[in-house]
């Protein structure tokens, strides 16, 4: 009886195993069929041209929605398809650099930090596609300073050409609380335009506010090597003090005694705000959004920022946007001359290994149309201004009814501007990427090096980078 039971059990187990195996075979056949169907779809002229686009994730939802809309409209018009992937700016820069090393890059990339930390090196190494056929027909629509940022040297082909499509520009200004100034009897008209007086003003505001409330700082200056705002602001300080890193031929000047002394002075000058307690102690650890947060949380009275992300964050509160929050340009340089502003450019780059060169260029030609570009940048609401002159002429960008947008717009249309120093030598992108200046600043603050020691360390590092590059 027991033997019969065992036989029945084994027979049942056999049938169950056979049934399970048949399901597995069926599932595998379905999977193979599905993959075969997918493969046949990919070979069609339209679906084979699915662009991979990596883009900076916006601080506000409107930015992501704006680029999504551009892509959808282009898809309808062209019949092509694109996959958009958005990442935080720091994450995307790291991902792009890993992708270049592994060969796993998208077709198109826009990362605002890549413009000054990566793109010129990619062009040098022959990693970017030549987009002269896109730039040439509209070349006259660009300011010369912006064209320089896209006209890069390819050391593989031994030529200089256009390896990026500029779509936007922005520059650094200050944002502050008008109502906090009122609490200590000050106003916008009280703020000095002379260099030393300007900085002493914010120190006095902190001292006066501290008499009324605790834990508030006059200055939200960034000191962290993890924040792009830090090196951007430091570059603007080097410009203020006339520090020339390269000559017109791209030769390094940091060993020049006068240049070295200016570097020492700027490092010491900047470190003192932190050392004297006019900046939050955690500013040395801030990430990109943290100066925004500290201002919006009213932990600091004033902070520099390279976009209009701070006004954008309060744009739904009309009283705060128009009455409480102020936007302020830089004071005159220490020599009394007006500040020359360093502009950050939004470049879209096309990788040389892209399999969809023509489709990618079709998208770029669509995006760069003045009406399309203008609508996109307005919808993004972050304060990236058009790179094209006719789009920037739209009264939207200089309308004094909007105090924040018009402040930047007037500088970009009427002020003195220049690009970052990578246009003189692509090795400088690596200096910025490695945050050499900011690490020197932190050596003074955290490691108690003298400004002379920190400056000399930085100079040695910059020389090593540039010499290795050349």
């Amino acid at each position: 009886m027991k033997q019969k039971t065992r036989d029945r059990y084994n027979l049942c187990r056999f049938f169950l195993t056979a049934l399970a195996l048949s399901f597995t075979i069926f599932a595998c056949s379905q999977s193979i069929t599905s993959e075969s169907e997918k493969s046949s779809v990919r070979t069609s002229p339209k679906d084979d041209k699915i662009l991979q686009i990596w883009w900076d994730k916006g601080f506000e939802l409107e930015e992501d929605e704006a680029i999504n809309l551009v892509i959808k409209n282009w898809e309808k018009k062209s019949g092509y398809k694109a996959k958009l992937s958005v990442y935080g700016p720091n994450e995307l820069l790291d991902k792009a650099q890993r992708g270049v090393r592994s060969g796993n890059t998208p077709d198109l990339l826009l990362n605002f930090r890549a413009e000054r930390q990566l793109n010129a090196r990619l062009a040098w190494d022959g990693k970017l596609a030549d987009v002269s056929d896109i730039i040439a027909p509209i070349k006259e629509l660009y300011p010369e300073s912006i064209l320089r940022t896209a006209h890069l040297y390819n050391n593989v082909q031994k030529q200089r050409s256009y390896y990026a499509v500029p779509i936007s520009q922005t520059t650094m200004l200050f944002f502050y609380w008008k109502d906090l100034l009122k609490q200590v009897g000050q106003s916008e008209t009280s703020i000095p335009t002379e260099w030393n007086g300007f900085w002493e003003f914010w120190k006095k505001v902190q001292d006066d506010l501290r008499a009324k409330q605790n834990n508030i700082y006059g200055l939200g200056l960034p000191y962290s090597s993890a924040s792009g705002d830090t090196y951007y602001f430091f570059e603007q300080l080097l410009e203020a003090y006339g520090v020339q890193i390269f000559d017109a031929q791209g030769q390094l000047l940091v060993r020049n005694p006068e240049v070295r002394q200016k570097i020492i002075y700027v490092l010491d000058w900047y470190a003192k705000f932190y050392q004297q307690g006019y900046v939050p102690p955690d500013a040395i650890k801030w990430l990109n959004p943290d100066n925004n947060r500290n201002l919006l949380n009213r932990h600091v009275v004033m902070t520099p920022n390279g976009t209009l992300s701070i006004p954008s964050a309060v744009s739904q509160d009309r009283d705060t946007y128009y009455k409480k929050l102020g936007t302020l340009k830089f004071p005159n340089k220490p020599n009394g001359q007006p500040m020359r502003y360093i502009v950050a450019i939004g470049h879209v780059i096309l990788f040389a290994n892209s399999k969809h060169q023509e489709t990618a260029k079709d998208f770029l030609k669509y995006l760069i149309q003045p009406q399309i570009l203008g609508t996109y940048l307005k919808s993004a609401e972050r304060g990236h201004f058009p790179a094209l002159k006719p789009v920037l002429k739209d009264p939207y960008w200089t309308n004094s009814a909007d105090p924040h947008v018009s402040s930047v717009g007037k500088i970009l249309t009427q002020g003195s501007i220049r690009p970052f120093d990578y246009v003189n030598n692509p090795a400088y992108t690596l200096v910025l990427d490695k945050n050499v200046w900011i690490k020197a600043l932190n050596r003074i603050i955290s490691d108690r090096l003298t400004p002379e020691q920190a400056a000399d360390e930085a100079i040695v590092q910059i020389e090593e980078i540039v010499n290795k590059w050349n």
Side-chain angles (χ1 to χ4, degrees), residues 386-433:
L388 295 176
K389 290 185 286 187
V391 185
L392 193 56
K393 286 181 180 178
D394 184 331
Y396 172 87
W397 304 105
T398 54
N399 184 1
S400 58
D402 188 319
H404 310 294
V405 173
S406 62
S407 294
V408 181
K410 288 175 182 175
I411 287 171
L412 296 177
T413 55
Q414 303 169 18
S416 176
I417 62 174
R418 73 164 175 88
F420 281 82
D421 269 326
Y422 69 80
V423 298
N424 297 314
N425 192 313
Y428 201 65
T429 59
L430 202 55
V431 174
L432 297 177
D433 190 49

Side-chain angles (χ1 to χ4, degrees), residues 12 21 56 61 79 105 114 121 168-169 231 239 262 281 310 313 352 354 362 380 393 447:
C12 288
L21 183 60
D56 265 354
L61 181 61
T105 57
R121 280 184 283 143
S168 67
Q169 60 177 319
Y231 78 70
E239 168 64 32
K262 287 181 178 179
I310 291 173
S354 165
D362 186 82
K393 286 181 180 178
D447 300 331

Side-chain angles (χ1 to χ4, degrees), residues 241-463:
Y241 281 95
V243 180
Q244 189 177 354
I245 305 298
F246 298 99
D247 64 17
Q249 288 71 46
Q251 298 301 308
L252 199 57
L253 300 176
V254 289
R255 279 292 174 189
N256 179 295
E258 183 180 354
V259 174
R260 176 180 173 273
Q261 280 305 126
K262 287 181 178 179
I263 291 171
I264 292 169
Y265 184 86
V266 174
L267 284 168
D268 184 40
W269 181 90
Y270 193 28
K272 281 179 178 174
F273 289 111
Y274 187 92
Q275 293 167 332
Q276 294 171 355
Y278 288 102
V279 175
D282 63 343
I284 203 166
K285 298 179 181 178
W286 281 357
L287 301 178
N288 273 333
D290 288 329
N291 62 318
N292 292 35
R293 292 194 186 109
N294 274 268
L295 185 83
L296 294 171
N297 292 334
R298 303 172 80 82
H299 190 45
V300 300
V301 184
M302 180 269 272
T303 192
N305 207 40
T307 70
L308 291 181
S309 56
I310 291 173
S312 293
V314 298
S315 60
Q316 300 304 312
D317 183 344
R318 292 181 64 84
D319 184 60
T320 299
Y321 188 87
Y322 288 101
K323 296 180 180 179
K324 294 180 181 178
L325 183 67
T327 298
L328 191 66
K329 65 180 183 179
F330 273 77
N332 292 332
K333 293 182 177 184
N335 65 7
Q337 296 297 313
M339 177 63 77
R340 182 169 62 158
Y341 289 81
I342 302 174
V343 289
I345 309 299
H347 282 168
V348 185
I349 55 174
L350 170 59
F351 285 93
N353 64 355
S354 165
K355 297 178 181 178
H356 307 125
Q357 298 280 327
E358 294 307 313
T359 310
K361 288 185 178 182
D362 186 82
F363 174 74
L364 291 173
K365 289 174 183 177
Y366 175 80
L367 175 62
I368 208 68
Q369 293 176 69
Q371 184 177 355
I372 303 298
L373 184 62
T375 301
Y376 161 61
L377 292 174
K378 287 178 186 177
S379 301
E381 293 188 359
R382 184 180 171 185
H384 288 287
F385 288 67
L388 295 176
K389 290 185 286 187
V391 185
L392 193 56
K393 286 181 180 178
D394 184 331
Y396 172 87
W397 304 105
T398 54
N399 184 1
S400 58
D402 188 319
H404 310 294
V405 173
S406 62
S407 294
V408 181
K410 288 175 182 175
I411 287 171
L412 296 177
T413 55
Q414 303 169 18
S416 176
I417 62 174
R418 73 164 175 88
F420 281 82
D421 269 326
Y422 69 80
V423 298
N424 297 314
N425 192 313
Y428 201 65
T429 59
L430 202 55
V431 174
L432 297 177
D433 190 49
K434 291 181 176 294
N435 258 312
V436 173
W437 296 123
I438 309 312
K439 288 175 181 176
L441 183 67
N442 279 264
R443 291 281 278 162
I444 298 171
I445 293 170
S446 301
D447 300 331
R448 301 292 190 266
L449 262 64
T450 66
E452 291 82 2
Q453 291 172 322
D456 286 337
E457 277 192 0
I459 287 170
V460 168
Q461 291 177 53
I462 292 171
E463 286 179 323

Side-chain angles (χ1 to χ4, degrees), residues 2-281:
K2 288 182 181 180
Q3 180 63 40
K4 288 182 180 179
T5 302
R6 277 196 298 269
D7 289 344
R8 273 196 226 98
Y9 172 77
N10 289 334
L11 185 62
C12 288
R13 194 168 71 172
F14 168 79
F15 280 119
L16 287 172
T17 302
L19 183 62
L21 183 60
S22 70
F23 278 123
T24 302
I25 294 171
F26 175 77
C28 288
S29 68
Q30 288 295 96
S31 176
I32 293 170
T33 302
S34 177
E35 287 302 312
S36 175
E37 289 170 354
K38 288 180 184 177
S39 178
S40 67
V41 170
R42 287 195 195 102
T43 60
S44 67
K46 296 295 184 186
D47 292 301
D48 189 45
K49 299 181 183 295
I50 299 178
L51 286 186
Q52 298 294 322
I53 303 175
W54 292 357
W55 211 264
D56 265 354
K57 182 172 180 56
F59 284 113
E60 303 295 332
L61 181 61
E62 289 81 4
E63 294 179 60
D64 299 336
E65 291 175 343
I67 188 57
N68 259 307
L69 183 59
V70 170
I71 291 172
K72 286 179 181 178
N73 289 339
W74 170 74
E75 287 177 329
K76 290 177 184 177
K77 181 179 181 296
S78 67
Y80 298 131
K81 295 293 182 182
K83 179 183 177 183
L84 173 68
S85 301
V86 296
Y87 304 92
N90 286 0
E91 180 189 4
L92 181 52
L93 182 63
D94 292 341
K95 185 177 178 66
Q97 294 189 85
R98 291 195 304 271
V100 169
R101 290 192 292 269
S102 67
N104 183 27
T105 57
D107 298 296
L108 296 170
L109 170 75
L110 180 138
N111 174 258
F112 291 103
R113 291 185 67 177
E115 176 255 333
R116 59 256 193 196
Q117 291 180 233
L118 182 62
N119 293 352
R121 280 184 283 143
L122 293 178
W124 178 277
D125 290 336
K127 302 292 186 181
L128 300 184
D130 191 326
V131 290
S132 297
D133 53 338
I134 296 173
I135 298 293
I138 58 172
K139 184 177 177 180
E140 299 303 317
L141 302 184
Y142 282 109
E144 182 58 33
S145 59
I146 290 181
L147 280 177
R148 287 183 65 201
T149 68
H151 199 240
L152 305 170
Y153 188 75
N154 183 326
N155 195 46
V156 177
Q157 299 182 358
K158 306 298 180 184
Q159 68 172 23
R160 188 174 279 274
S161 192
Y162 292 105
Y163 289 100
V165 177
I167 66 168
S168 67
Q169 60 177 319
T170 187
T171 196
M172 183 160 281
L173 292 177
F174 298 106
F175 301 91
Y176 69 99
W177 292 116
K178 295 179 182 179
D179 55 321
L180 288 180
L181 295 190
K182 288 180 181 178
Q183 290 183 24
V184 291
Q186 303 287 0
S187 68
E188 185 173 4
T189 59
S190 308
I191 303 171
T193 58
E194 175 265 328
W195 184 261
N196 290 331
F198 178 88
W199 297 104
E200 289 301 317
F201 174 85
W202 299 103
K203 292 164 68 173
K204 186 177 187 306
V205 166
Q206 173 176 317
D207 294 340
D208 291 346
L209 282 171
R210 284 285 181 93
K212 297 173 176 289
Q213 56 183 298
N214 293 323
N215 203 31
I216 192 165
Y217 293 86
L219 297 166
L221 303 180
Y223 285 78
S224 167
S225 60
S227 170
D229 286 326
T230 314
Y231 78 70
Y232 194 169
F233 182 64
F234 193 82
E235 290 292 312
Q236 197 67 65
L237 294 180
L238 293 175
E239 168 64 32
Y241 281 95
V243 180
Q244 189 177 354
I245 305 298
F246 298 99
D247 64 17
Q249 288 71 46
Q251 298 301 308
L252 199 57
L253 300 176
V254 289
R255 279 292 174 189
N256 179 295
E258 183 180 354
V259 174
R260 176 180 173 273
Q261 280 305 126
K262 287 181 178 179
I263 291 171
I264 292 169
Y265 184 86
V266 174
L267 284 168
D268 184 40
W269 181 90
Y270 193 28
K272 281 179 178 174
F273 289 111
Y274 187 92
Q275 293 167 332
Q276 294 171 355
Y278 288 102
V279 175

